[in-house]
Amino acid sequence: MGAGDSMLQKLETAWNANLSAAEDERTRQEAIHELISTEKTYIDDLLLVVEVFYNPLCSVATDEELSSVFVNWQQLILCNARLFRALYNNSDINSFESVGSVFLEEIDSLIGPYTKFCSAQRQAMIALQEGVSHDFKVKEKECASSPKVGKLPLSTFLLKPMQRITKYPLLIKKILQHTRDTHPDYQSLKDSLSRTEYLLTSVNEAVRATTRLESLQRVFDKCCDDLGERVRLNSTTNCLGPRKLIHFGSVYKNKGSKELFAILFTDMLWLSRVDKGRYGNKPIDIDARDFDSIKFEPYRDPFLLNIVFPTENNKNSADLTFSFSYNDRNYSFHCQSAKEASEWVDHMNDAIRNATLLYHSHYKTSLPDPTIAGQATITLRIVEGLELALPPDEKPNSLFVQASLLGHVQKTPVGAPKWDHTIHFVVQDVSTDKINITVFKENLFSPNVALGKFDLSIQKLLKTGGPGPWNKRLILTDTNSGMVNVCIMLRYHGNR
């Protein structure tokens, strides 16, 4: 082969390489265009739901109905519009270069909103079918007849957010396949692919956790219907944040071989008796299709973890049991293997430690600093509550008053509204200081419910005349009815 032939071959190789590179770039740009154009179409669909369904439904629906069906729809619009603008603004007329880096910057902002929406999507569908008024259903059907939505029902559009995040890894992977590893956006695309897969995994796990809690809710309602409060497992605990399922499995009472099903949450341990029937002797699986065939019966009220104390034999790793004390009574359960027992011990100890720390941190009473003299000391004898607006079917036997001044918090004992309890505060400035007084209904498994409040101005109190004591009937605000009888005394410090 002559020198000319060699040069021709090199030119031909270079030419083929350029053709290949050009073809790859064209395909890459098509893949990027698909990502951005479908993102625009998706946002248009989100906005269409607001225009065609949400806005008209506002005229007939309650806030609760709108929230249960649309969840955080507006939040999805905001985060996806931001993503689209970032992608579009990072391009010129002919090409899109830094898609990966832009996507990487924005993708994490989607995790929270999509986890919230997708985990509530099934309940939104149920609410749309069963939990809304007749007027809502009629209006929704009327909206669905619009040509703008192709005469598709709202339920079709409620599926789109989950469908969209499922496509992100596929779309990014397609771009990555046609991006050379020397391209400046290559590593960002790889990282974006990992983050979109993480987004999808996080949402799927949240959906699975929600589905599990919904299955358990049906059982819980049958076994724990006399707790004095309506407990929603897929909701917020009293003071430990959102309730999460930590561990579950079969355990057995040490004094007998009767099987119990134990479920550990962030705030409580719940056990129930089981009759497996046609479910058979296989281990109980919440995710199993035939889980609902198991008959569950009450065992006892749930154990609140903030007052559970592990006992010493929990430290014996060879033991088949796990034990604890609760309200001065010892409880012991055994498992079918030392491994299962060890897992229960570890999960219980961690959950108890976390619940106790958070509970005491939340309810810590903050007393005035004794080194700060202040202008005066105010004494409140909180006598009783009258005509308090209790939730339906609630008895007035778990109420308390919380009072706060300048970050110092004190409260009465919990009980019927005949407290007759005395608290003291140091007043820094009688002309500006106000005491916030709030009446609460205490819940054990959900946040306490405020029944009304009153801001007590010390300056206004002094203007009523006399040195005190003052017997006052405080009319509560932020409620339909309710008042608190108090006796107030003010003692100035020093010579006054």
Side-chain angles (χ1 to χ4, degrees), residues 174-330:
K174 191 173 181 180
I175 299 169
L176 190 60
Q177 286 172 346
H178 298 285
T179 302
R180 294 176 178 269
D181 57 11
T182 55
H183 194 284
D185 202 35
Y186 181 80
Q187 187 58 47
S188 293
L189 282 168
K190 286 187 67 176
D191 294 340
S192 293
L193 177 60
S194 297
R195 296 308 295 170
T196 55
E197 289 172 342
Y198 175 76
L199 166 65
L200 187 56
T201 299
S202 298
V203 169
N204 283 332
E205 287 177 354
V207 171
R208 183 184 179 212
T210 299
T211 303
R212 281 180 162 186
L213 290 176
E214 288 170 359
S215 298
L216 291 173
Q217 185 71 56
R218 295 190 289 273
V219 179
F220 192 90
D221 289 342
K222 294 176 183 176
C223 296
C224 304
D225 59 352
D226 59 349
L227 294 177
E229 62 181 282
R230 176 77 169 96
V231 180
R232 297 296 309 172
L233 297 179
N234 188 23
S235 64
T236 305
T237 61
N238 179 269
C239 62
L240 309 181
R243 181 175 290 107
K244 295 179 181 178
L245 175 63
I246 297 175
H247 193 56
F248 63 89
S250 294
V251 300
Y252 303 83
K253 290 194 292 185
N254 274 352
K255 295 180 180 179
S257 58
K258 194 67 177 175
E259 182 177 0
L260 301 171
F261 188 55
I263 307 103
L264 179 64
F265 296 98
T266 44
D267 63 327
M268 64 177 171
L269 173 67
W270 163 40
L271 296 100
S272 60
R273 296 185 177 92
V274 295
D275 179 1
K276 289 184 174 178
R278 60 187 178 85
Y279 186 85
N281 292 324
K282 58 187 177 183
I284 296 176
D285 182 4
I286 298 173
D287 302 318
R289 290 186 176 181
D290 53 352
F291 174 76
D292 287 338
S293 69
I294 304 170
K295 294 181 180 179
F296 294 88
E297 298 176 353
Y299 171 63
R300 54 148 292 129
D301 289 349
F303 299 93
L304 288 166
L305 296 185
N306 61 286
I307 51 174
V308 169
F309 298 93
T311 53
E312 288 298 317
N313 65 346
N314 278 12
K315 297 178 180 179
N316 184 354
S317 60
D319 201 347
L320 296 180
T321 66
F322 71 96
S323 308
F324 55 85
S325 65
Y326 186 79
N327 286 339
D328 298 323
R329 181 179 173 184
N330 292 327

Side-chain angles (χ1 to χ4, degrees), residues 59 109-110 160 167 217 256 264 281 333 395 407 413 479:
S59 64
S109 67
L110 274 61
K160 288 185 178 291
K167 290 179 180 176
Q217 185 71 56
L264 179 64
N281 292 324
F333 304 94
K395 296 179 180 179
T479 182

